[in-house]
Amino acid sequence: MAVDVVMPRLSDTMEEGTVVKWLKRVGETVEVGDVLAEVETDKATMELEAFDAGVLSEIRVAEGEAAAVGAVIAVLGGAAAERPAKLPAPAEKAAAKEPRAVPATERPVVASPSAQPPVREAPAKPPATVSVPPAATPASPAARTGTAAPLAEGERLRASPRARRLASDRGIDLASVRGSGPGGRVLEQDLDTVSAPGPATPAAVGERRVPLGKIRRTTAQRMAAAAREVPHFYASSEIDVEALVGVKDDLRGRGAEWQRVTVTHLLLKAVGLALRAVPEMNASWADDAVILHETVNIGLAVATDDGLLVPVVRGCDTEPLAELVRRAQGLVERVRSRRIAADDLLGGTFTISNLGMYPVSQFAAVVNPPHAGILAVGAIRATPVVRGKQVVAGQMMAVTLSCDHRVVDGVIAGRFLEALKSRLEEPRTLLE
Amino acid sequence: MNMRLAVGRLGVVDYGVATALQERCVAERTEGGDDVLLLLEHPPVYTLGRGADPRFLGAAAGHDVPIVRTSRGGQVTYHGPGQLVGYPIVDLRNHRCDVRWYVRQLEGVVIRALARLDLDAERCPGAPGVWTRGHKVASIGIAIRRWVTWHGFALNVGGDLAAFEHITPCGLDGVRMTSLAREGVRSSVEDVATVVREEFVDLFGYASWRDLDADASLPGREVWA
């Protein structure tokens, strides 16, 4: 019977891998332990070894193409590839009717990255013509080495053939499915509780399916990871921006180079100075340590048609305002014209996300890992304010700081907002 | 587990010789030897990862420097004198069978070593390697056979950074490479290798380490003797 070769999981957090090279061609005979292909993820290539003998009957993922973990990248069919399988069909039917029965033809997925040298030789007979006794299937890695199983590889493979095929068709990673069968075996009905990832879900009538571009996909993965792993807390402050708006308007009258100055530019400088004053906030999480950055480089969340990019304005604490305006304008221009370089996106130590151009009074952003914080800036609102003991018409702006609680605590957030508020409310300090 | 590490300080080694040596170490490791850390320098060479796009070679294609296609992951990079190359032959089954974790460990070793040399360095999400002040100071490219690693990392201590300008390092447009020398750290490759070895032993949790048998009949020994 044909057996699927799937994209191996080389890391707990790996979502897809790329087939960089096929070392066997369709029609070629494969022996146990032969390297079928090399797959790559995160600058690492892994040799994918065969756990089973047979003939490579189909290659589904070409060299250079990516596939999700658990997706079928090839099929190893042995003689079954040429001969329509007679025996496997009933066996599979039986498995479908009686999912709890363990068919004698049950075989594990043929390739695994954990490939220790298999202890047993492959059956000499073409696998499709006989029922392979369970004893001929490679034992779990743990059983073979006698040491602790490094991966849950053995667990992952426990699934009925039908469940395995359905999972592959639906693009479901069996490792993510809790099996209800004996010993945690994944059965067909278990798959119904799992929603399949992207490609397998066709758009219904009245819907349109928009595949993710590279930027959106990266954003999705990083934000999901941040929401999952970063313990967030939030601290907000109301800033009286009457003077700040006055300074911005003054600057705009100072000549050509200042004509396009915005509140965001003033924020860059004010946040830069506040980070200098509270260096604990200018930090990153590094798993086993906190990194305190000596330079203050602020990423600006910029929306593009392709998704969100965060170009980095360097030296926000030391460079004069005019230089920050020039740098920020250059970056935004490069982002919008798609000429941004990797260097422009690297080395950030903090992030600002400004939605002040929309009627957003305040919002909280997701931390941009590994940064300690991100500042979400709302719109400037005309509102009554108390000055002295008088209620007068004023302009206020709400900022919300989202923090990684592993890096900073509430006191640091408070001190940072205090430093920021005083600079924004005394904006002459930004021009020095 | 009482894990031991054998460390080989090999000096300047031809790329092909080092590859053959690694192949041999991987085979020995698979048969139950100790984990190995090879520390060395290469004569000038451009290397392409298994899936690398040759376009990233750029102007390097016309130079005298040899170009080698390798079995590691990653794109194009340059090796040359003044660059500390580390090839750990590690059985991940004794650590964690997780290539991302392993890449992060290697980054961690370099970051810790640089911290001891008073240079702040960091990871860049989505771009493996080690970065300082927005520039890349160390590259990573590894290969794995039966959960045993080979290939590894390359840390620019000094050397010719101009050689990187002919290529698109790691396939990332606009990446600028830097070195410890350029960042103001005055250390020899030998000194940095010692610090890297210490941090490697510590971070991977080896109980002890020893020098790799230098008198073993390693291939092409005369080249780097």
Side-chain angles (χ1 to χ4, degrees):
Chain A
M1 88 189 246
V3 213
D4 294 338
V5 178
V6 301
M7 175 59 69
R9 180 179 292 282
L10 305 184
S11 167
D12 291 345
T13 53
M14 170 178 171
E15 280 154 28
E16 62 170 35
T18 302
V19 175
V20 287
K21 191 164 185 67
W22 281 105
L23 297 156
K24 294 284 177 187
R25 278 189 296 267
V26 171
E28 235 181 299
T29 305
V30 175
E31 299 294 330
V32 173
D34 279 359
V35 178
L36 295 172
E38 288 173 344
V39 298
E40 173 164 354
T41 184
D42 297 279
K43 302 246 174 172
T45 57
M46 178 81 167
E47 293 176 353
L48 185 64
E49 290 186 27
F51 252 19
D52 235 318
V55 173
L56 190 60
S57 59
E58 194 185 341
I59 285 179
R60 293 201 188 163
V61 177
E63 288 182 4
E65 284 182 6
V69 168
V72 178
I73 60 175
V75 179
L76 196 55
E82 289 82 46
R83 244 179 295 167
K86 289 176 193 162
L87 287 177
E92 280 182 20
K93 256 186 214 154
K97 274 187 207 148
E98 287 218 330
R100 268 160 221 289
V102 182
T105 48
E106 171 73 358
R107 315 191 73 200
V109 175
V110 290
S112 158
S114 63
Q116 286 99 355
V119 177
R120 286 166 204 283
E121 289 301 314
K125 286 175 269 186
T129 58
V130 289
S131 297
V132 179
T137 64
S140 75
R144 269 181 283 128
T145 57
T147 58
L151 254 195
E153 204 62 48
E155 313 295 329
R156 187 155 78 84
L157 304 182
R158 267 193 237 125
S160 71
R162 185 171 168 79
R164 199 178 305 135
R165 192 151 36 81
L166 284 173
S168 143
D169 289 346
R170 296 182 195 171
I172 294 171
D173 175 9
L174 281 174
S176 66
V177 181
R178 184 172 291 273
S180 64
R185 176 179 297 269
V186 176
L187 308 176
E188 184 186 348
Q189 69 247 32
D190 298 328
L191 299 178
D192 295 333
T193 63
V194 181
S195 55
T201 324
V205 177
E207 294 173 347
R208 194 162 61 92
R209 203 180 144 70
V210 183
L212 293 181
K214 197 175 166 195
I215 294 173
R216 284 188 201 280
R217 199 158 44 154
T218 305
T219 305
Q221 285 166 354
R222 297 201 51 218
M223 290 299 101
R228 204 165 48 230
E229 290 160 21
V230 176
H232 281 72
F233 73 91
Y234 311 93
S236 300
S237 188
E238 289 279 336
I239 316 274
D240 183 338
V241 290
E242 184 92 9
L244 189 76
V245 171
V247 162
K248 184 199 69 179
D249 292 342
D250 278 356
L251 285 173
R252 284 191 174 176
R254 282 195 193 178
E257 60 168 331
W258 291 104
Q259 260 171 22
R260 283 155 61 216
V261 71
T262 64
V263 169
T264 300
H265 298 139
L266 295 166
L267 272 166
L268 277 174
K269 182 70 183 179
V271 171
L273 293 173
L275 288 172
R276 171 60 56 211
V278 186
E280 296 93 329
M281 196 67 230
N282 193 42
S284 291
W285 176 247
D287 286 338
D288 54 354
V290 168
I291 309 288
L292 296 173
H293 301 287
E294 284 184 3
T295 51
V296 176
N297 304 332
I298 299 178
L300 271 183
V302 177
T304 73
D305 291 343
D306 302 326
L308 190 65
L309 283 177
V310 188
V312 175
V313 183
R314 299 181 201 287
C316 290
D317 55 334
T318 51
E319 296 297 331
L321 183 63
E323 176 61 20
L324 294 182
V325 170
R326 213 178 52 76
R327 289 183 185 185
Q329 285 174 341
L331 285 169
V332 172
E333 169 61 30
R334 287 204 289 286
V335 166
R336 299 254 149 92
S337 61
R338 303 184 185 210
R339 284 185 296 108
I340 197 82
D343 212 24
D344 291 329
L345 303 173
L346 296 172
T349 61
F350 189 86
T351 311
I352 295 177
S353 179
N354 186 355
L355 285 179
M357 59 296 283
Y358 298 101
V360 172
S361 50
Q362 63 174 327
F363 72 107
V366 177
V367 165
N368 183 18
H371 297 178
I374 180 169
L375 190 75
V377 182
I380 293 172
R381 292 159 291 126
T383 186
V385 297
V386 180
R387 289 221 175 85
K389 290 198 170 174
Q390 298 258 299
V391 175
V392 296
Q395 300 191 79
M396 300 294 284
M397 178 178 81
V399 296
T400 300
L401 177 68
S402 306
C403 298
D404 184 338
H405 214 326
R406 298 172 299 184
V407 187
V408 294
D409 53 30
V411 171
I412 301 298
R415 282 175 42 213
F416 170 79
L417 287 174
E418 179 181 45
L420 179 64
K421 183 178 168 75
S422 69
R423 281 163 181 80
L424 288 171
E425 292 185 348
E426 297 288 340
R428 297 285 153 195
T429 58
L430 307 180
L431 305 179
E432 285 159 7
Chain B
M1 186 175 302
N2 210 15
M3 288 186 300
R4 278 161 43 96
L5 178 73
V7 180
R9 300 277 289 261
L10 307 181
V12 178
V13 188
D14 175 77
Y15 192 85
V17 171
T19 303
L21 177 53
Q22 288 186 74
E23 293 261 11
R24 198 184 143 124
C25 290
V26 170
E28 284 174 3
R29 184 67 192 88
T30 309
E31 283 157 23
D34 286 335
D35 284 354
V36 172
L37 173 62
L38 302 176
L39 293 168
L40 52 105
E41 293 169 75
H42 286 307
V45 60
Y46 289 107
T47 61
L48 284 88
R50 177 61 99 185
D53 185 336
R55 279 178 305 163
F56 292 129
L57 264 176
H63 284 245
D64 296 340
V65 176
I67 296 166
V68 181
R69 172 75 77 167
T70 77
S71 46
R72 65 166 166 81
Q75 291 288 339
V76 180
T77 195
Y78 166 80
H79 302 293
Q83 181 189 64
L84 174 66
V85 172
Y87 292 139
I89 316 298
V90 170
D91 190 338
L92 290 181
R93 288 171 300 180
N94 292 334
H95 300 268
R96 269 171 71 170
C97 288
D98 186 325
V99 298
R100 268 191 196 172
W101 171 84
Y102 177 66
V103 169
R104 289 180 67 81
Q105 286 284 101
L106 292 188
E107 289 166 346
V109 166
V110 174
I111 289 170
R112 284 182 176 207
L114 296 187
R116 282 181 49 192
L117 298 165
D118 282 332
L119 183 64
D120 269 349
E122 58 195 345
R123 296 182 179 91
C124 170
V130 176
W131 307 74
T132 183
R133 297 169 196 149
H135 293 177
K136 191 168 184 177
V137 69
S139 304
I140 288 180
I142 65 173
I144 297 173
R145 176 178 295 162
R146 297 184 173 174
W147 285 118
V148 174
T149 67
W150 49 310
H151 295 285
F153 59 88
L155 170 62
N156 300 323
V157 177
D160 176 21
L161 290 176
F164 286 104
E165 284 166 15
H166 302 303
I167 58 173
T168 309
C170 318
L172 291 167
D173 264 338
V175 166
R176 264 177 257 150
M177 303 298 288
T178 189
S179 65
L180 298 194
R182 178 170 289 185
E183 300 299 324
V185 176
R186 304 259 165 252
S187 290
S188 66
V189 172
E190 279 301 297
D191 292 346
V192 175
T194 300
V195 177
V196 164
R197 187 256 298 152
E198 288 169 2
E199 295 301 328
F200 190 93
V201 167
D202 188 47
L203 195 60
F204 278 86
Y206 293 101
S208 62
W209 69 278
R210 61 179 169 84
D211 283 317
L212 188 69
D213 255 350
D215 58 331
S217 54
L218 297 170
R221 182 157 180 267
E222 64 281 4
V223 179
W224 40 271

